[in-house]
């Protein structure tokens, strides 16, 4: 059935009105996001491994995110900044596990009060329209301490709010495909809700292709190197490299390569994400790569397969000018035959079940100590050991 001329004009006008309404709604929503999320100074929290809060605090201060405060507390470091500083923290921090964006804090001793507070949060400003976030809960000294019940109410509030405001965001498309996670932390009946801006833990650099039986996390390796005084300006030898965590982290430091340059983040799915601004930050980071005239990091292992996989990783990410990989036994390697300089030796030996038991571990560490005393006098030492 064909439309009359008048009906055709009416249809076009209706379609245009719908299009204009959607465009107006999208513009208004974008303005809210810019005002409430992008342009506002907010609180963030960088998570640290226990005992490494001070290391992360110093790293944040060196990064100079522009916030007024950087405060270390058990579990991590709080800092202030605009949204772009959150992105910079994810891109550049070497010792943080993840970066949380604080959304809301409230007091609740009853679940109806908690539900009411959660329902008032403008979730549509922080999460993509199709988000089904995972909710992690911790509660200490709280009358509301049932973690599953708290998580359920949080998820319900998010779902109801996003469904109820779907028409307010106009033509804004859902930006799903990137997993989202919320953290709810309660202490003394005061609850803080945070969005995880990182996604996968930041130790996942997006660089290594190889795994191992007990791999060292990259964030811990970076923290250990930092504590040992390694600056990236001197020689580093990783003679039991395994999967290459120490040597790869040292290479990134030596070449001043941002550890987050090769991976995605959860904030890339947020309504507040600005792709052009993010691309600019990544270009700045890439341009800051330091030219290294000769390799500063040397890795080797008794396992030929481990060395081969590490060499593949080094080639794929253009690190051959910084990191050199060889195959050999730690106990047969004599550093003075390679260099007259002294630097840092980093070791993550196998121990425990990987060797069969405590006796075997103790024997290996006695041999390691003897080797270090004989051939590495005057070197800085980073050693991962099961006990003192």
């Amino acid at each position: 059935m064909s439309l009359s001329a008048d009906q055709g004009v009416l249809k076009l006008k209706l379609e245009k009105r719908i299009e204009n309404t959607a465009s107006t709604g999208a513009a208004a929503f974008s303005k809210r996001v810019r005002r409430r999320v992008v342009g506002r100074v907010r609180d963030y929290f960088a998570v640290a491994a226990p005992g490494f809060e001070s290391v992360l605090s110093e790293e944040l201060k060196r990064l100079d995110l522009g916030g007024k405060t950087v405060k270390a507390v058990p579990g991590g470091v709080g800092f202030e900044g605009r949204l772009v500083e959150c992105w910079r923290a994810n891109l550049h921090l070497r010792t943080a596990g993840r970066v949380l964006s604080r959304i809301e804090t409230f007091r609740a001793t009853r679940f109806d009060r908690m539900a009411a507070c959660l329902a008032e949060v403008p979730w549509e400003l922080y999460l993509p329209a199709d988000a089904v976030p995972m909710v992690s809960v911790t509660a200490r000294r709280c009358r509301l301490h049932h973690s599953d019940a708290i998580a359920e109410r949080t998820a319900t509030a998010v779902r109801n709010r996003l469904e109820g405001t779907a028409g307010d965001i106009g033509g804004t498309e859902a930006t799903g495909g990137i997993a989202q996670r919320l953290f709810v932390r309660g202490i003394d009946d005061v609850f803080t809700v945070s969005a995880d801006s990182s996604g996968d833990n930041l130790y996942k650099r997006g660089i290594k292709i190889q795994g191992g039986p007990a791999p060292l996390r990259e964030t811990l390796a970076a923290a250990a190197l930092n504590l040992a005084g390694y600056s990236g300006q001197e020689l580093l030898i990783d003679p039991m490299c395994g999967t290459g965590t120490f040597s790869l982290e040292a290479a990134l430091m030596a070449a001043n390569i941002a550890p987050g340059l090769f991976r995605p983040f959860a904030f890339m799915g947020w309504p507040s994400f600005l792709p052009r601004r993010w691309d600019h930050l990544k270009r700045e980071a890439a341009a800051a790569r330091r030219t290294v005239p000769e390799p500063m990091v040397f890795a080797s292992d008794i396992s030929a397969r481990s060395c081969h996989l590490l060499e593949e990783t080094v080639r794929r990410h253009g690190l051959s000018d910084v990191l050199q990989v060889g195959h050999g036994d730690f106990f047969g390697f004599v550093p003075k035959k390679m260099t007259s300089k002294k630097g840092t030796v980093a070791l993550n030996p196998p121990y425990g079940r990987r060797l069969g038991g405590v006796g075997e571990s103790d024997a290996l560490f006695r041999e390691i100590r003897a080797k270090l005393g004989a051939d590495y006098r005057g070197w800085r030492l980073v050693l991962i050991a099961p006990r003192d």
Side-chain angles (χ1 to χ4, degrees):
M1 177 178 163
S2 60
L3 295 174
S4 68
D6 289 343
Q7 287 174 321
V9 171
L10 181 61
K11 182 175 182 291
L12 288 174
K13 287 183 177 179
L14 181 59
E15 289 177 349
K16 188 66 175 178
R17 183 178 299 175
I18 292 172
E19 184 179 309
N20 289 340
T21 300
S23 178
T24 301
F29 177 73
S30 296
K31 185 176 181 179
R32 286 179 65 208
V33 171
R34 290 195 302 271
R35 185 177 68 251
R36 297 280 298 275
V37 182
V38 178
R40 184 174 295 182
V41 174
R42 306 185 63 85
D43 291 328
Y44 299 96
F45 187 78
V47 178
F52 290 99
E53 293 88 351
S54 61
V55 176
L56 177 55
S57 177
E58 290 303 312
E59 188 182 10
L60 270 165
K61 291 175 183 176
R62 289 195 301 272
L63 189 54
D64 189 20
L65 295 176
K68 297 179 181 179
T69 61
V70 173
K71 183 179 181 181
V73 298
V77 183
F79 66 98
E80 295 177 336
R82 299 187 190 278
L83 183 64
V84 68
E85 309 299 355
C86 170
W87 300 352
R88 288 185 63 218
N90 277 285
L91 180 60
H92 290 282
L93 289 178
R94 302 184 189 279
T95 62
R98 62 180 72 250
V99 179
L100 306 181
S101 174
R102 301 303 196 199
I103 293 179
E104 190 63 77
T105 299
F106 57 86
R107 180 179 178 82
T109 57
R110 303 190 318 271
F111 276 118
D112 59 345
R113 168 63 179 165
M114 170 174 282
C117 291
L118 291 168
E120 292 176 359
V121 177
W123 298 106
E124 70 278 8
L125 302 182
Y126 304 103
L127 297 174
D130 58 351
V132 184
M134 179 188 301
V135 182
S136 298
V137 177
T138 58
R140 300 173 184 170
R141 301 186 301 276
C142 294
R143 274 167 275 192
L144 302 180
H145 55 79
H146 195 292
S147 58
D148 288 343
I150 295 171
E152 179 184 354
R153 282 160 176 79
T154 304
T156 298
V158 172
R159 182 174 63 252
N160 291 343
R161 178 79 185 199
L162 293 182
E163 290 176 352
T165 57
D168 296 339
I169 63 177
T172 302
E173 296 181 357
T175 49
I178 300 178
Q180 300 293 329
R181 188 175 184 180
L182 296 173
F183 285 82
V184 182
R185 186 168 186 256
I187 298 179
D188 296 327
D189 297 325
V190 176
F191 292 86
T192 299
V193 183
S194 305
D196 174 23
S197 70
S198 303
D200 285 339
N201 193 294
L202 293 179
Y203 80 83
K204 295 183 178 181
R205 309 294 201 207
I207 296 178
K208 286 198 302 188
I209 58 173
Q210 68 275 28
L216 176 67
R217 288 194 171 191
E218 283 75 358
T219 47
L220 290 177
L225 291 172
N226 189 298
L227 284 173
Y230 177 73
S231 66
Q233 303 296 308
E234 67 271 16
L235 182 71
L236 182 135
I237 295 178
D238 181 8
M240 286 184 170
C241 67
T243 61
T245 303
F246 269 132
S247 46
L248 286 170
E249 284 302 299
L252 294 180
M253 295 170 70
N256 194 36
I257 297 173
L261 202 57
F262 307 101
R263 53 158 288 169
F265 300 95
F267 64 73
M268 296 170 70
W270 290 359
S272 54
F273 182 58
L274 303 173
R276 290 184 180 179
R277 186 68 182 274
W278 173 239
D279 288 344
H280 175 71
L281 290 179
K282 290 183 68 175
R283 286 195 300 270
E284 280 188 334
R289 190 191 197 281
R290 185 183 297 126
T291 300
V292 181
E294 59 182 4
M296 299 287 292
V297 182
F298 297 87
S300 63
D301 197 270
I302 197 171
S303 166
R305 180 177 182 276
S306 294
C307 294
H308 172 72
L309 291 173
L310 181 56
E311 282 183 318
E312 288 294 313
T313 299
V314 169
R315 280 197 294 268
R316 190 172 68 254
H317 292 284
L319 296 172
S320 299
D321 61 326
V322 189
L323 171 54
Q324 181 175 306
V325 183
H327 173 221
D329 183 3
F330 163 66
F331 295 103
F333 178 74
V334 180
K336 66 181 180 182
K337 292 182 178 180
M338 182 187 72
T339 176
S340 59
K341 299 178 182 178
K342 298 185 187 299
T344 299
V345 55
L347 293 168
N348 181 26
Y351 54 84
R353 292 183 179 180
R354 286 189 286 169
L355 287 179
V358 175
E360 290 83 352
S361 293
D362 289 345
L364 175 62
F365 275 83
R366 283 195 295 271
E367 293 179 32
I368 290 173
R369 285 196 294 269
K371 175 68 174 177
L372 291 171
D375 293 333
Y376 290 89
R377 290 186 179 276
W379 287 64
R380 288 196 184 97
L381 171 63
V382 180
L383 176 64
I384 305 297
R387 56 186 179 276
D388 294 338

